[in-house]
Amino acid sequence: MPTINGHMPTLPPEGPRPSTHEPHRHRRMAESFGADAERYDRARPRYPDALVERVTDAAPGPDVVDVGCGTGIASRQFQAAGCRVLGVDPDERMAELARRLGVGVEVAAWEDWDPDGREFDAVVAAQAWHWTDPVAGAAKAARVLRPGGVLAAFWNVFELPPEVAQAFADVYQRVVPDSPFDPRGMTARGRSDYTGLLSGVADGIREAGGFGEPEWWRWDWEWSYTRDAWLDQMPTFGILTWVPPDLQERVLEGVGAAVDGMGGAFTMRYTTVAVAASRTVTTP
């Protein structure tokens, strides 16, 4: 894991309201990642060790439920830190691979999942909380967390080099002109675009009740990609998982040409961002 510097500013009490574009309503995209679960697990970046340590230090115990666990990338990181982890994911294809890799998973959307009286010390969501209703999801977390337990939703946000970003936006708009999804969120603007998402997550936690004031955590780091490594990861993005294979290939060709023009490799700037809040003693 690369060197990471982190800090934990508290979100302002009245941040921007959530966008009218609500990812959790796009169920087709939300449940499309299992189409190539092995690629997803192989290509997606991991999360900073410092984040895992921050969550485990804040939690009163080792019991963790991983919301939208996918193939168990974050689950396995928490297991390596000594936690007992249960995954919850709506996609049986992702869950099956996670089980093969050592993570117990129950298949359900988080809002519909039945905890059957179980309680946890942490609820985490890695690259997944935006697929969850922000209020109903936080209310479910409050019900399953022990007093003092922590809810932590986090994302790896990347900033593509300008040449790769422009190539992706141009070819995507040309090949998939009728797409309802804006490719600019996958380009350099994506880092700043997450401010609205994080504020919406914090607002959902406040509205659900049962938590202290949400905090915003952040770690900055870098990762080097070869052309092939980057093109291996791209089909795992929600903006591409629903696109037919022939159109996917055309998008990848355009981006690959841009990376070739940069010498066949590039350095990606990442920011891992999180919203976290501790469960109060009184349930909502």
Side-chain angles (χ1 to χ4, degrees):
M1 180 61 66
T3 301
I4 297 173
N5 295 316
H7 59 277
M8 301 185 300
T10 300
L11 283 168
E14 295 298 334
R17 299 303 302 176
S19 168
T20 54
H21 175 71
E22 298 174 288
H24 67 276
R25 299 192 185 277
H26 292 284
R27 300 312 307 173
R28 180 184 176 190
M29 182 187 287
E31 298 175 11
S32 66
F33 299 99
D36 195 347
E38 288 80 7
R39 180 198 295 267
Y40 187 100
D41 193 78
R42 176 180 68 244
R44 280 296 183 109
R46 275 46 183 168
Y47 301 92
D49 292 337
L51 181 149
V52 175
E53 181 179 357
R54 179 68 184 88
V55 174
T56 55
D57 285 349
D63 295 322
V64 175
V65 60
D66 185 359
V67 179
C69 68
T71 62
I73 291 173
S75 297
R76 299 195 300 273
Q77 290 188 248
F78 279 95
Q79 286 178 331
C83 296
R84 295 187 293 262
V85 182
L86 172 67
V88 176
D89 196 273
D91 192 327
E92 176 60 42
R93 299 166 298 180
M94 300 288 267
E96 193 277 331
L97 180 56
R99 294 184 191 112
R100 284 198 275 124
L101 295 172
V103 179
V105 183
E106 297 180 6
V107 175
W110 173 245
E111 299 93 329
D112 301 328
W113 174 65
D114 181 7
D116 194 27
R118 290 167 291 182
E119 293 185 328
F120 299 86
D121 301 297
V123 173
V124 301
Q127 217 77 21
W129 195 255
H130 53 288
W131 303 123
T132 300
D133 182 279
V135 178
K140 172 65 72 67
R143 288 196 294 273
V144 304
L145 280 170
R146 298 184 176 105
V150 62
L151 166 62
F154 48 93
W155 293 263
N156 285 329
V157 186
F158 60 77
E159 181 176 333
L160 281 166
E163 302 94 321
V164 181
Q166 192 61 54
F168 177 75
D170 289 348
V171 71
Y172 187 87
Q173 289 173 327
R174 183 172 68 251
V175 173
V176 200
D178 297 327
S179 170
F181 306 111
D182 187 346
R184 290 176 298 174
M186 306 295 289
T187 63
R189 285 186 52 189
R191 289 161 67 98
S192 60
D193 286 349
Y194 266 70
T195 301
L197 170 64
L198 297 177
S199 295
V201 171
D203 286 346
I205 292 170
R206 295 186 186 105
E207 185 173 343
F211 290 96
E213 180 62 15
E215 292 182 335
W216 187 353
W217 305 343
R218 170 178 173 154
W219 291 266
D220 297 308
W221 51 285
E222 294 182 343
W223 198 260
S224 296
Y225 283 98
T226 63
R227 175 189 187 277
D228 289 345
W230 180 243
L231 296 187
D232 192 34
Q233 186 179 152
M234 280 191 66
T236 72
F237 299 150
I239 199 169
L240 284 174
T241 52
W242 69 280
V243 175
D246 60 324
L247 298 185
Q248 267 196 31
E249 187 61 31
R250 291 172 60 187
V251 173
L252 297 180
E253 286 176 0
V255 176
V259 179
D260 285 340
M262 300 169 62
F266 64 91
T267 298
M268 180 82 80
R269 295 173 58 191
Y270 274 99
T271 299
T272 300
V273 293
V275 174
S278 294
R279 159 73 149 77
T280 56
V281 174
T282 303
T283 57

